[in-house]
Amino acid sequence: MGRGRRHRGRSHRNQSEDSRETAPKPLKPDAPFDSTIQNRTWSNLDFEEYYKEQRIVRAEEWDSFIEILRKPLPAAFRVNSNGQFCDEILSMLENDFVKSLQAEAVESGEVEAIKPLPWYPKSLAWHSNFSRKEIRKNQTLERFHEFLKLETEVGNMTRQEAVSMVPPLFLDVHPDHFVLDMCAAPGSKTFQLLEIIHESAEPGSLPNGMVVANDVDYKRSNLLIHQTKRTCTTNLIVTNNEGQHFPNCNSKRALSIGQLLFDRVLCDVPCSGDGTLRKAPDIWRRWNSGSGNGLHSLQVVIAMRGLSLLKVGGRMVYSTCSMNPIEDEAVVAEILRRCGSSVELVDVSDKLPELIRRPGLKKWKVHDRGGWYRSYKDVPKVQRDGVLRSMFPSGKSDKDSTTGGGSSSGEIASDESAEEVCDLPLERCVRIVPHDQNTGGFFIAVLHKVSSLPDFQEKRRYTRGRNSSENKEEIVVGEEEASDNGLKLEKESTIKEVPPPVKGKWKGLDPVVFLRDETVINGIKRFYGINDESFPLNGHLVTRNSDTSTKGNVKRIYYVSRSVKDVLELNLATGEKIKVASVGLKMFEKQSARECEAGCCSFRITSEGLPVILPYMTKQLLYATMVDFKNLLQYKSIKFIDFVHPQFGRKAAEVAEGYCVVVLVDGTQKDGSEAVKVSSSTIAIGCWKGKASLTVMVTTVDCDELIQKLAC
């Protein structure tokens, strides 16, 4: 979440020429490691000077801190708690790989090859003492590498940096919660949030809650869509809005929900990313203090937007993969100052007790090309476009100080200037430093919204620009914030409601359309024997413009949960303010005319949709014993007369032509002729019933994975 992400949205300030150093792209901690630079030894004297001055670790720890930053990051991964084979995978890790990899670990000087992260619930997250490159390149580790690749591809595992797993755990998500992940790509935390929502839900039912996963970058949101596709969830909307301008949707119409507010918000903001040095050592070369300064204002406004979208009584987690207090404690302090008593910083020291963490800093300094500043009053006025009062522990401006105004010259603050100490409870923040438990660096703050946010100063429309003929960037902020950021008030100070976009006119995004074709819906229900009371289809099926052929026929149909349905209806009622990039779960796909004979349903069930709809199907079901099930996986297509159990072949011949589901039954049945009760955990595969044979409609990867699991 190095993951390179350059924010393309609008910040509320420009950096000055003096502070506009070459900044690395904003990073987040769960992007692929760049193996081409893994073994280079990087150093950066500016980095070392900066963090020594900030005293993020004690002097006697410094050598240990720097030494581990120059070592590759050990690989970490999570087992999907909702996966069909969760228990089997944990058993393989504990009883197979822990032992088989031990010799390699001893040779590398490690005590253990792999082990569960002690602070992660139910031993679902694991730490390896090998880097990702070692796992890929070492022949001894090849079987383990192939295991990780396969399980990740089919959705049973997620490769994710250990510290990146912490923020969702501090959110305390429940199955009925509406959750907003504001800056979500590439999606490992979103995947984790969805796991938590589904794991906590009643068995056999869809959760009442949902996750909105937002990312401003359309290309990165495609990565997010790919990542979350493996969750097979109906409770997700992926959106493409700027985090700091995420829409406030409310309507006076008689809808299920009149305003979109969230019970939980994950605000994992774009940052300079120096906590990921072990994974992205190229940051050594690019690092400078200006990158953190340049992102500070954006981080503040994204966090404030998150709090405004949070329900009273809700919880927001602010996090970065940066060790820089300007991006961490300074942002949290500014949030608390703006919100007053309406927001409190939560003490989570009793949560995840085995996670080694350190308290947040209460004092720090600000640095730019002009030097070090202990207080805002010491910042020359020519530097104040790049160094803001909110970056300092007290957050005080000249007007708040009793010692007079700031210097108008370019001199650097004297050593006699008093170092500020923040009077807010920032020790409740969580700092994770790399050498404490062999991880990356991370920062987390948990915020609780006690009451409605205070009535801020009148929001007015300001512009940034050097002359009247220049294109101006319009920004809506308060007067004091505008003054701090060098913005000019427009003549028209009253904010007019921004008209909603024309339906379906978001560039590059097709509109979401509810499927109202009763002929299609009823045909699906009849063919698969789906009762609308137990699994309602009407009002829960949507399509996209790109999912229709030139003749207007629907090609793909997505299923959405009740919560997602309600949000989509609200978004449509408010003029599609939310840019929906992906929604729900692809449930049905159109068959070609030549595949579908008369009487056959023209829509087959997708592999990702099958686990969700299977418990509600009463038709097109076949029950196979292990031997016939394995043969289907191995040979992909078998004639009815060639099945080991003739009774199964006869049952298959009787099923209506078209898509059907073959369910694996336990060993108590001799021939698979009897129906069994199915659930979302039942092992089943989609097949195509032709005139004389059954053909598997599952990818080779999924077939191989099932064959391996059934062989255990």
Side-chain angles (χ1 to χ4, degrees), residues 464-478:
R464 179 186 291 122
R466 288 189 295 271
N467 57 61
S468 58
S469 63
E470 182 182 20
N471 288 331
K472 295 183 177 67
E473 177 184 359
E474 292 195 328
I475 300 169
V476 180
V477 295

Side-chain angles (χ1 to χ4, degrees), residues 300-373:
V300 170
V301 294
I302 291 176
M304 289 301 300
R305 187 64 188 141
L307 286 169
S308 70
L309 294 165
L310 185 65
K311 293 178 182 177
V312 171
R315 175 176 287 199
M316 183 176 92
V317 166
Y318 173 85
S319 61
T320 78
C321 55
S322 169
M323 297 180 284
N324 192 341
I326 309 304
E327 303 178 73
D328 298 340
E329 286 88 353
V331 173
V332 174
E334 178 64 9
I335 291 169
L336 295 174
R337 284 190 291 265
R338 292 189 185 191
C339 296
S341 60
S342 63
V343 172
E344 64 179 12
L345 191 55
V346 180
D347 181 358
V348 290
S349 57
D350 61 333
K351 307 299 182 186
L352 309 181
E354 293 183 278
L355 174 69
I356 303 173
R357 85 289 299 272
R358 302 190 181 202
L361 305 177
K362 290 184 75 80
K363 56 184 180 180
W364 61 88
K365 290 178 276 189
V366 180
H367 180 270
D368 77 347
R369 284 188 173 181
W372 285 98
Y373 305 108

Side-chain angles (χ1 to χ4, degrees), residues 5 84 86 99 116 220 238 243 251 298 348 355 357 364 426-428 430 539 623 628 631 670 677:
R5 177 219 296 246
Q84 259 185 339
C86 177
K99 299 171 184 176
R220 287 177 57 78
V238 177
S251 174
L298 176 63
V348 290
L355 174 69
R357 85 289 299 272
W364 61 88
L426 296 181
E427 69 278 1
R428 296 177 184 174
V430 173
Y623 303 93
D628 282 325
N631 283 344
K670 294 181 179 180
K677 183 176 176 59

Side-chain angles (χ1 to χ4, degrees), residues 80-292:
N80 181 356
S81 59
N82 303 309
Q84 259 185 339
F85 300 104
C86 177
D87 292 339
E88 288 85 349
I89 291 170
L90 289 175
S91 177
M92 285 187 70
L93 290 169
E94 293 165 359
N95 301 318
D96 180 350
F97 288 112
V98 165
K99 299 171 184 176
S100 64
L101 298 175
Q102 188 57 39
E104 190 66 24
V106 172
E107 187 176 320
S108 302
E110 301 289 348
V111 177
E112 297 171 292
I114 60 172
K115 61 181 179 181
L117 289 169
W119 46 265
Y120 201 95
K122 302 179 182 178
S123 296
L124 288 168
W126 287 66
H127 165 99
S128 160
N129 277 311
F130 308 111
S131 70
R132 294 186 72 166
K133 182 180 179 182
E134 287 173 321
I135 291 173
R136 285 199 305 269
K137 301 297 183 183
N138 190 319
Q139 290 298 314
T140 311
L141 302 176
E142 184 177 359
R143 188 171 74 92
F144 182 55
H145 180 225
E146 290 302 317
F147 167 76
L148 290 179
K149 274 202 324 183
L150 177 61
E151 300 302 340
T152 300
E153 189 169 348
V154 299
N156 291 329
M157 271 186 187
T158 298
R159 308 279 286 275
Q160 184 179 2
E161 188 175 345
V163 290
S164 171
M165 303 176 193
V166 178
L169 297 181
F170 281 140
L171 261 184
D172 187 29
V173 173
H174 298 178
D176 60 341
H177 280 167
F178 278 40
V179 183
L180 172 63
D181 190 350
M182 297 188 75
C183 310
S188 56
K189 292 186 189 67
T190 303
F191 197 122
Q192 196 177 350
L193 292 168
L194 287 164
E195 279 183 42
I196 295 170
I197 280 181
H198 280 274
E199 183 184 16
S200 307
E202 289 291 325
S205 64
L206 297 179
N208 292 323
M210 61 162 297
V211 175
V212 174
N214 179 71
D215 201 273
V216 66
D217 189 312
Y218 178 71
K219 290 181 180 178
R220 287 177 57 78
S221 68
N222 283 335
L223 179 61
L224 169 62
I225 292 166
H226 175 75
Q227 176 91 302
T228 53
K229 178 182 177 183
R230 300 177 297 123
T231 63
C232 298
T233 181
T234 64
N235 299 64
L236 173 68
I237 302 177
V238 177
T239 61
N240 240 166
N241 295 84
E242 292 177 324
Q244 69 271 36
H245 300 134
F246 194 89
N248 180 22
C249 293
N250 55 73
S251 174
K252 295 181 180 179
R253 295 187 190 178
L255 300 171
S256 298
I257 54 174
Q259 184 177 12
L260 181 57
L261 293 174
F262 297 89
D263 302 279
R264 298 289 186 265
V265 173
L266 178 57
C267 186
D268 190 47
V269 294
C271 67
S272 60
D274 54 24
T276 68
L277 275 165
R278 301 183 67 186
K279 187 171 60 178
D282 192 45
I283 296 175
W284 284 111
R285 175 178 57 81
R286 298 183 285 119
W287 188 93
N288 63 74
S289 62
S291 58

